[in-house]
mmCIF file of all heavy atoms in Angstrom:
data_model
loop_
_atom_site.group_PDB
_atom_site.id
_atom_site.type_symbol
_atom_site.label_atom_id
_atom_site.label_comp_id
_atom_site.label_asym_id
_atom_site.label_seq_id
_atom_site.Cartn_x
_atom_site.Cartn_y
_atom_site.Cartn_z
ATOM 1 N N ASP A 110 55.601 28.986 115.931
ATOM 2 C CA ASP A 110 55.390 27.551 116.314
ATOM 3 C C ASP A 110 54.914 26.764 115.170
ATOM 4 O O ASP A 110 55.134 25.545 115.120
ATOM 5 C CB ASP A 110 54.400 27.484 117.484
ATOM 6 C CG ASP A 110 54.912 28.367 118.708
ATOM 7 O OD1 ASP A 110 56.001 27.978 119.188
ATOM 8 O OD2 ASP A 110 54.232 29.266 119.160
ATOM 9 N N ALA A 111 54.219 27.384 114.267
ATOM 10 C CA ALA A 111 53.701 26.718 113.041
ATOM 11 C C ALA A 111 53.507 27.755 111.964
ATOM 12 O O ALA A 111 53.220 28.860 112.169
ATOM 13 C CB ALA A 111 52.309 26.123 113.371
ATOM 14 N N ILE A 112 53.893 27.315 110.725
ATOM 15 C CA ILE A 112 53.684 28.099 109.562
ATOM 16 C C ILE A 112 52.911 27.299 108.615
ATOM 17 O O ILE A 112 53.273 26.189 108.266
ATOM 18 C CB ILE A 112 55.102 28.573 108.945
ATOM 19 C CG1 ILE A 112 55.875 29.404 109.943
ATOM 20 C CG2 ILE A 112 54.829 29.311 107.660
ATOM 21 C CD1 ILE A 112 57.288 29.745 109.518
ATOM 22 N N VAL A 113 51.780 27.865 108.192
ATOM 23 C CA VAL A 113 50.822 27.177 107.276
ATOM 24 C C VAL A 113 50.792 27.900 105.974
ATOM 25 O O VAL A 113 50.639 29.115 105.961
ATOM 26 C CB VAL A 113 49.439 27.127 107.902
ATOM 27 C CG1 VAL A 113 48.388 26.422 107.077
ATOM 28 C CG2 VAL A 113 49.477 26.455 109.278
ATOM 29 N N SER A 114 50.992 27.192 104.855
ATOM 30 C CA SER A 114 51.106 27.818 103.594
ATOM 31 C C SER A 114 50.055 27.341 102.612
ATOM 32 O O SER A 114 49.927 26.155 102.372
ATOM 33 C CB SER A 114 52.445 27.610 102.959
ATOM 34 O OG SER A 114 52.481 28.026 101.605
ATOM 35 N N GLY A 115 49.359 28.287 101.942
ATOM 36 C CA GLY A 115 48.477 28.094 100.910
ATOM 37 C C GLY A 115 48.996 28.591 99.643
ATOM 38 O O GLY A 115 48.226 28.764 98.662
ATOM 39 N N LEU A 116 50.325 28.845 99.582
ATOM 40 C CA LEU A 116 50.920 29.358 98.348
ATOM 41 C C LEU A 116 50.911 28.443 97.186
ATOM 42 O O LEU A 116 51.031 27.264 97.313
ATOM 43 C CB LEU A 116 52.406 29.756 98.669
ATOM 44 C CG LEU A 116 52.562 30.901 99.708
ATOM 45 C CD1 LEU A 116 54.055 31.028 100.087
ATOM 46 C CD2 LEU A 116 52.033 32.210 99.218
ATOM 47 N N PRO A 117 50.786 28.964 95.986
ATOM 48 C CA PRO A 117 50.711 28.204 94.771
ATOM 49 C C PRO A 117 52.195 27.863 94.281
ATOM 50 O O PRO A 117 52.636 28.404 93.269
ATOM 51 C CB PRO A 117 50.005 29.043 93.727
ATOM 52 C CG PRO A 117 50.378 30.430 94.183
ATOM 53 C CD PRO A 117 50.491 30.402 95.680
ATOM 54 N N TRP A 118 52.833 26.915 94.941
ATOM 55 C CA TRP A 118 54.266 26.640 94.707
ATOM 56 C C TRP A 118 54.491 26.289 93.245
ATOM 57 O O TRP A 118 55.581 26.648 92.760
ATOM 58 C CB TRP A 118 54.687 25.533 95.628
ATOM 59 C CG TRP A 118 54.601 25.803 97.027
ATOM 60 C CD1 TRP A 118 53.637 25.488 97.956
ATOM 61 C CD2 TRP A 118 55.547 26.616 97.833
ATOM 62 N NE1 TRP A 118 53.927 25.951 99.164
ATOM 63 C CE2 TRP A 118 55.081 26.658 99.139
ATOM 64 C CE3 TRP A 118 56.699 27.272 97.457
ATOM 65 C CZ2 TRP A 118 55.744 27.374 100.177
ATOM 66 C CZ3 TRP A 118 57.361 27.908 98.485
ATOM 67 C CH2 TRP A 118 56.833 27.983 99.769
ATOM 68 N N ALA A 119 53.583 25.566 92.588
ATOM 69 C CA ALA A 119 53.840 25.131 91.225
ATOM 70 C C ALA A 119 54.002 26.293 90.178
ATOM 71 O O ALA A 119 54.559 26.094 89.159
ATOM 72 C CB ALA A 119 52.717 24.215 90.806
ATOM 73 N N VAL A 120 53.458 27.431 90.558
ATOM 74 C CA VAL A 120 53.630 28.551 89.572
ATOM 75 C C VAL A 120 54.781 29.414 89.841
ATOM 76 O O VAL A 120 55.139 30.338 89.028
ATOM 77 C CB VAL A 120 52.259 29.436 89.567
ATOM 78 C CG1 VAL A 120 51.109 28.661 89.147
ATOM 79 C CG2 VAL A 120 52.123 30.188 90.852
ATOM 80 N N PHE A 121 55.532 29.092 90.930
ATOM 81 C CA PHE A 121 56.721 29.911 91.230
ATOM 82 C C PHE A 121 57.927 29.330 90.572
ATOM 83 O O PHE A 121 58.105 28.119 90.497
ATOM 84 C CB PHE A 121 56.985 29.901 92.780
ATOM 85 C CG PHE A 121 55.904 30.605 93.582
ATOM 86 C CD1 PHE A 121 55.797 30.284 94.929
ATOM 87 C CD2 PHE A 121 55.012 31.453 93.076
ATOM 88 C CE1 PHE A 121 54.828 30.957 95.767
ATOM 89 C CE2 PHE A 121 54.068 32.082 93.817
ATOM 90 C CZ PHE A 121 53.910 31.823 95.176
ATOM 91 N N PRO A 122 58.848 30.194 90.095
ATOM 92 C CA PRO A 122 60.143 29.719 89.649
ATOM 93 C C PRO A 122 60.945 29.150 90.734
ATOM 94 O O PRO A 122 60.628 29.461 92.035
ATOM 95 C CB PRO A 122 60.834 30.916 89.044
ATOM 96 C CG PRO A 122 60.217 32.086 89.711
ATOM 97 C CD PRO A 122 58.756 31.652 90.100
ATOM 98 N N GLU A 123 61.911 28.305 90.543
ATOM 99 C CA GLU A 123 62.743 27.744 91.580
ATOM 100 C C GLU A 123 63.403 28.753 92.519
ATOM 101 O O GLU A 123 63.484 28.521 93.743
ATOM 102 C CB GLU A 123 63.805 26.830 90.969
ATOM 103 C CG GLU A 123 64.629 26.122 92.034
ATOM 104 C CD GLU A 123 65.635 25.095 91.479
ATOM 105 O OE1 GLU A 123 65.615 24.886 90.221
ATOM 106 O OE2 GLU A 123 66.429 24.551 92.286
ATOM 107 N N SER A 124 63.888 29.823 91.999
ATOM 108 C CA SER A 124 64.492 30.840 92.780
ATOM 109 C C SER A 124 63.534 31.413 93.841
ATOM 110 O O SER A 124 63.930 31.583 94.990
ATOM 111 C CB SER A 124 64.979 32.001 91.903
ATOM 112 O OG SER A 124 63.948 32.634 91.177
ATOM 113 N N LEU A 125 62.217 31.654 93.483
ATOM 114 C CA LEU A 125 61.306 32.172 94.488
ATOM 115 C C LEU A 125 60.913 31.083 95.484
ATOM 116 O O LEU A 125 60.788 31.306 96.635
ATOM 117 C CB LEU A 125 60.102 32.681 93.747
ATOM 118 C CG LEU A 125 58.980 33.291 94.653
ATOM 119 C CD1 LEU A 125 59.546 34.447 95.526
ATOM 120 C CD2 LEU A 125 57.832 33.845 93.908
ATOM 121 N N GLN A 126 60.754 29.871 95.002
ATOM 122 C CA GLN A 126 60.496 28.721 95.928
ATOM 123 C C GLN A 126 61.638 28.691 97.042
ATOM 124 O O GLN A 126 61.333 28.620 98.129
ATOM 125 C CB GLN A 126 60.462 27.402 95.225
ATOM 126 C CG GLN A 126 59.254 27.236 94.331
ATOM 127 C CD GLN A 126 59.235 25.893 93.653
ATOM 128 O OE1 GLN A 126 60.255 25.242 93.476
ATOM 129 N NE2 GLN A 126 58.038 25.520 93.122
ATOM 130 N N ARG A 127 62.870 28.752 96.547
ATOM 131 C CA ARG A 127 63.991 28.650 97.552
ATOM 132 C C ARG A 127 63.965 29.871 98.458
ATOM 133 O O ARG A 127 64.196 29.676 99.686
ATOM 134 C CB ARG A 127 65.368 28.631 96.765
ATOM 135 C CG ARG A 127 65.687 27.372 96.108
ATOM 136 C CD ARG A 127 67.102 27.525 95.465
ATOM 137 N NE ARG A 127 67.420 26.261 94.808
ATOM 138 C CZ ARG A 127 67.932 25.206 95.357
ATOM 139 N NH1 ARG A 127 68.160 25.205 96.620
ATOM 140 N NH2 ARG A 127 68.235 24.088 94.740
#
Side-chain angles (χ1 to χ4, degrees):
D110 300 302
I112 299 173
V113 179
S114 170
L116 294 173
W118 298 102
V120 302
F121 295 161
E123 182 175 356
S124 59
L125 182 56
Q126 288 179 342
R127 282 183 184 278

